[in-house]
Amino acid sequence: MFRVPETHPRYKSLMKREKLVAGIEAGITSKQGLIAHGRGEAFDYLIGERTLSAAMKATEAAAALLLTAKKPVISVNGNVAALVPEKVIELSELLDAPLEVNIFYWTEERVRKIKEHLERHGAAHVLGDKADARIPGIEHARARVDREGIYSADVVLVPLEDGDRCEALIKMGKKVIAIDLNPLSRTSKYATVSIVDDLERAMANLISVIKEKKKGNGKGLLVEDFDNKENLEAVIKEMVKRLEEEELGEL
Ligand code: ATP
Ligand code: MG
């Protein structure tokens, strides 16, 4: 991996790119995943690469939803596996929820490589290679899921999901938590709870909120009190406010 100097002003962002390039080289990330990441980066710039207060509120709601779920499942695609393997595993252990490899550009080989990659990082329970059930309303290859995983889950965390599949999961009666930097994406609009934040920051926040809630601390936000549309509007307001306050100044 290319060594990014820690003093570089864009260190964190460059490191993410390096992880994704390594993911491509290891056969776990798709080329299209790079384009999707670029779209995310643009939105991250607009929010100043920090967690907005509305995103933190969505994270609280997501934590409450995951902790009260009967059968939560965490979906992992090629970008998630390359960027935050340790964090999805930690979350899976905290919630006693399986990870399921769930990729848009499906090949048996890539599913196997992602599963092995997660297992090398210590994951004990990775689904997705059976692909013995289908999400109704989605065309063939992209509809594949595991019967004992996403297919029968009541709450699914889909960090970076495609809009169509998010809609189809909702139609199946599931509660869907999305992490997506684009508040205007179809995914963000369809999800039950959309966390508009960078994947790494959102996962770190989600883990710490869940740890606090498990200790009996936290805000006690009820999922019923959370309105996703209202929250997305709050995100857009925060984004606009930030842009209005932005002064270009001298470099
Ligand atoms: P729609 O949801 O409108 O159907 P899409 O899902 O087809 O759009 P893609 O570009 O395929 O659009 O999806 C990638 C989404 O993931 C983008 O909205 C992008 O903002 C988001 N994204 C990519 N990388 C990250 C990241 N590291 N953290 C958070 N969000 C990200
Ligand atoms: Mg999307």
Side-chain angles (χ1 to χ4, degrees):
M1 203 188 283
F2 174 72
R3 241 188 64 76
V4 181
E6 274 175 53
T7 49
H8 193 288
R10 305 218 46 77
Y11 175 74
K12 280 191 183 160
S13 165
L14 290 173
M15 276 308 292
K16 281 176 208 165
R17 289 185 177 184
E18 287 307 316
K19 285 185 188 173
L20 287 171
V21 170
I24 298 250
E25 282 162 5
I28 60 176
T29 304
S30 69
K31 288 181 185 154
Q32 293 86 347
L34 294 184
I35 298 168
H37 184 77
R39 187 180 282 176
E41 280 184 337
F43 280 99
D44 209 17
Y45 235 106
L46 298 184
I47 62 172
E49 296 171 303
R50 58 175 170 77
T51 300
L52 299 175
S53 59
M56 207 54 216
K57 190 174 173 195
T59 304
E60 293 276 342
L65 196 52
L66 286 165
L67 284 167
T68 51
K70 286 199 187 71
K71 202 175 169 195
V73 175
I74 303 163
S75 166
V76 179
N77 69 10
N79 284 35
V80 174
L83 289 168
V84 287
E86 296 89 358
K87 289 191 174 70
V88 282
I89 293 166
E90 186 177 357
L91 188 64
S92 148
E93 285 166 1
L94 269 175
L95 295 168
D96 196 17
L99 298 173
E100 177 164 342
V101 181
N102 178 30
I103 56 181
F104 190 87
Y105 299 97
W106 197 92
T107 69
E108 206 172 317
E109 192 194 356
R110 204 153 70 83
V111 172
R112 180 178 50 78
K113 284 188 169 162
I114 294 175
K115 185 175 161 125
E116 285 168 4
H117 173 77
L118 293 168
E119 286 168 349
R120 265 199 306 280
H121 278 84
H125 194 188
V126 186
L127 304 169
D129 51 354
K130 280 212 193 87
D132 53 357
R134 301 202 177 279
I135 307 172
I138 296 285
E139 53 74 17
H140 193 71
R142 293 197 298 122
R144 293 162 186 267
V145 279
D146 272 24
R147 187 163 296 279
E148 61 160 317
I150 290 175
Y151 189 79
S152 53
D154 59 340
V155 176
V156 191
L157 170 65
V158 284
L160 322 186
E161 179 59 294
D162 139 77
D164 258 24
R165 278 205 303 206
C166 181
E167 181 186 16
L169 292 173
I170 294 281
K171 278 194 181 148
M172 284 176 86
K174 298 180 193 308
K175 298 230 175 351
V176 176
I177 300 163
I179 299 175
D180 189 331
L181 273 159
N182 178 1
L184 304 170
S185 78
R186 295 168 61 251
T187 305
S188 293
K189 287 179 183 164
Y190 283 125
T192 318
V193 177
S194 307
I195 304 174
V196 181
D197 202 0
D198 161 68
L199 175 65
E200 249 177 78
R201 293 196 305 267
M203 286 297 295
N205 289 334
L206 194 54
I207 288 169
S208 70
V209 170
I210 287 176
K211 279 187 180 162
E212 283 307 306
K213 281 193 192 289
K214 280 188 135 189
K215 283 193 240 160
N217 305 330
K219 297 215 175 81
L221 177 87
L222 295 174
V223 182
E224 301 80 59
D225 295 339
F226 180 84
D227 181 317
N228 200 49
K229 186 166 173 274
E230 241 170 54
N231 192 263
L232 288 174
E233 282 164 0
V235 164
I236 293 165
K237 276 211 183 96
E238 277 189 76
M239 224 178 231
V240 169
K241 187 161 172 279
R242 205 200 103 81
L243 287 176
E244 281 172 349
E245 285 166 1
E246 182 75 37
E247 289 189 24
L248 291 179
E250 300 281 330
L251 265 189

